[in-house]
Amino acid sequence: MNMLLSVRNLKTYYRSGSSVVPAVDGVSFHLRKGEVLGIVGESGCGKSTVARSLINLLDKSNARIEGGEVLFHGEDLMKQSRKAWSRIRGKKISMIFQNPQSALNPVYTVGDQIAEALTVHQKMSRKEARDRVVELLKLVGIPEPESRLTNYPHEMSGGMQQRAMIAIALACHPEIVIADEPTTALDVTIQAQILALMDRIRAQFQMGMILISHNMGIVAEMCDRIMVMYGGVVVEEGETAAIFAAPSHPYTKGLLASIPSLDEDRDTLYAIPGSVPRLTAPVGHCRFAGRCAYAKSKCWESEPPLIEGENGHRSRCWLMEAPDRGHDDERE
Ligand code: SF4
């Protein structure tokens, strides 16, 4: 598969008063054409900050990209001007947000909001854009699209709003779609429909997709590869099947153990003990050490690099260490 996106040592920090919060602290990964990469982890691990950094949608009042590069067709997105970004965002790379109610503009009809992407990026006439909007609404499974064009967001259900968001994101056939918890605000049956819809359209247009989720069940179904984040860094990455068959990082093992199972009769679900550390906490040791049942003195003395195992499976844990294994961080 062709490489679409290559992220190298991305660092995004928030500032709050005199504190600096390294929300994304040296993250590297890639995305190939037609591939779905899942980014998972608990809230506060840096997943959404990675997404917003990639599409240049950070709140500039308190967030800054401090380093790294994001190569898209060989060009560093971090060095693009505002004008260049207006041609990239929505056209080449688009985003589906978690909450359509806050992402859609309440004072414009859904049809106008989808058409805007087409008239701005594709230079379509109003008539051409209207016809294309009807096609897109059909594509995302909105019934009676001709009459739904003139609906305002509040006249649609949550599921319909999310379908409209997907239509906006796909309007210009982007090469990459970033979906940040796209179904979290929906009930379970609608979730399944929306995920199936996204997967069908992604496959049809051979788009690359980055799916951000805290739900391991969803990433198991949708993703080719998984990247697990903890404390602003990648702690494990590999093929989905390999990670589910043999997770190597204790944090990933904890996430997988937290998935409810129909086969087990348990009164309470497993939860990883403790909570995600504050990102302002000093590092220099394994960021998961405070919650890890396998922590030993070395884990508190130095932070493990990403250690590569078989088939590109990488894990940031001293348990992976073997004399002949390479360290990814050393190559970066
Ligand atoms: Fe646990 Fe040590 Fe591995 Fe960190 S490096 S996850 S503390 S065993």
Side-chain angles (χ1 to χ4, degrees):
M1 276 193 276
N2 300 337
M3 193 67 74
L4 263 184
L5 193 73
S6 184
V7 177
R8 295 183 191 158
N9 204 21
L10 179 67
K11 294 185 179 185
T12 307
Y13 294 177
Y14 291 106
R15 283 171 202 281
S16 167
S18 58
S19 309
V20 176
V21 183
V24 174
D25 200 12
V27 164
S28 302
F29 64 93
H30 61 269
L31 179 73
R32 299 185 188 100
K33 189 172 176 346
E35 182 181 47
V36 185
L37 171 70
I39 304 183
V40 298
E42 294 161 284
S43 298
C45 286
K47 312 182 298 291
S48 294
T49 305
V50 167
R52 287 182 170 269
S53 303
L54 296 183
I55 200 165
N56 197 20
L57 274 182
L58 292 164
D59 179 351
K60 301 282 190 303
S61 67
N62 67 350
R64 235 177 79 178
I65 292 175
E66 297 285 340
E69 53 184 20
V70 178
L71 299 176
F72 177 60
H73 291 302
E75 283 196 55
D76 188 356
L77 291 180
M78 300 296 104
K79 294 187 178 144
Q80 302 302 310
S81 64
R82 271 175 73 140
K83 199 171 163 199
W85 264 109
S86 67
R87 289 193 298 267
I88 296 167
R89 195 186 300 119
K91 186 175 182 189
K92 306 275 187 197
I93 306 175
S94 63
M95 187 149 177
I96 300 169
F97 295 92
Q98 180 178 142
N99 189 341
Q101 272 165 346
S102 53
L104 291 168
N105 190 326
V107 300
Y108 290 101
T109 66
V110 163
D112 281 346
Q113 292 184 61
I114 302 171
E116 187 188 358
L118 297 164
T119 50
V120 170
H121 291 303
Q122 311 268 25
K123 309 289 178 226
M124 284 187 184
S125 67
R126 284 181 64 83
K127 164 82 176 69
E128 287 169 328
R130 186 195 175 281
D131 293 345
R132 177 80 180 121
V133 171
V134 171
E135 272 175 35
L136 282 163
L137 290 177
K138 264 190 210 154
L139 181 73
V140 298
I142 293 185
E144 300 169 18
E146 285 86 356
S147 60
R148 287 293 196 166
L149 280 178
T150 52
N151 280 180
Y152 288 88
H154 73 270
E155 296 176 297
M156 291 181 149
S157 66
M160 286 294 158
Q161 289 175 354
Q162 194 57 302
R163 285 172 194 264
M165 275 288 304
I166 293 171
I168 293 171
L170 302 181
C172 300
H173 290 171
E175 293 177 61
I176 299 174
V177 174
I178 301 170
D180 187 0
E181 304 273 10
T183 57
T184 303
L186 304 174
D187 68 49
V188 178
T189 48
I190 304 297
Q191 264 188 19
Q193 290 173 18
I194 296 287
L195 290 170
L197 169 72
M198 283 171 40
D199 200 38
R200 180 168 57 75
I201 297 174
R202 180 205 58 75
Q204 187 178 345
F205 296 106
Q206 274 296 292
M207 294 179 295
M209 181 182 281
I210 296 174
L211 176 65
I212 292 167
S213 181
H214 62 271
N215 185 325
M216 294 298 278
I218 288 177
V219 293
E221 268 188 43
M222 297 273 294
C223 300
D224 302 302
R225 276 189 306 122
I226 297 177
M227 181 171 101
V228 184
M229 287 192 67
Y230 188 80
V233 296
V234 177
V235 294
E236 184 160 3
E237 190 197 338
E239 302 290 328
T240 303
I243 286 195
F244 273 79
S248 61
H249 195 284
Y251 179 57
T252 314
K253 290 179 186 175
L255 291 177
L256 293 180
S258 316
I259 301 175
S261 164
L262 287 175
D263 303 329
E264 285 178 67
D265 185 16
R266 278 194 289 183
D267 291 337
T268 50
L269 289 174
Y270 173 79
I272 302 170
S275 54
V276 177
R278 286 156 57 100
L279 288 167
T280 46
V283 282
H285 54 75
C286 171
R287 298 174 198 220
F288 189 59
R291 303 172 75 186
C292 182
Y294 307 95
K296 48 189 178 176
S297 55
K298 182 175 185 178
C299 308
W300 288 102
E301 287 158 7
S302 56
E303 182 166 25
L306 272 173
I307 300 170
E308 189 156 335
E310 287 173 13
N311 300 323
H313 195 138
R314 303 187 299 166
S315 182
R316 192 181 291 278
C317 175
W318 289 123
L319 296 177
M320 282 279 283
E321 197 177 40
D324 55 342
R325 277 184 175 151
H327 291 184
D328 257 25
D329 289 359
E330 289 165 7
R331 288 200 286 272
E332 286 164 7

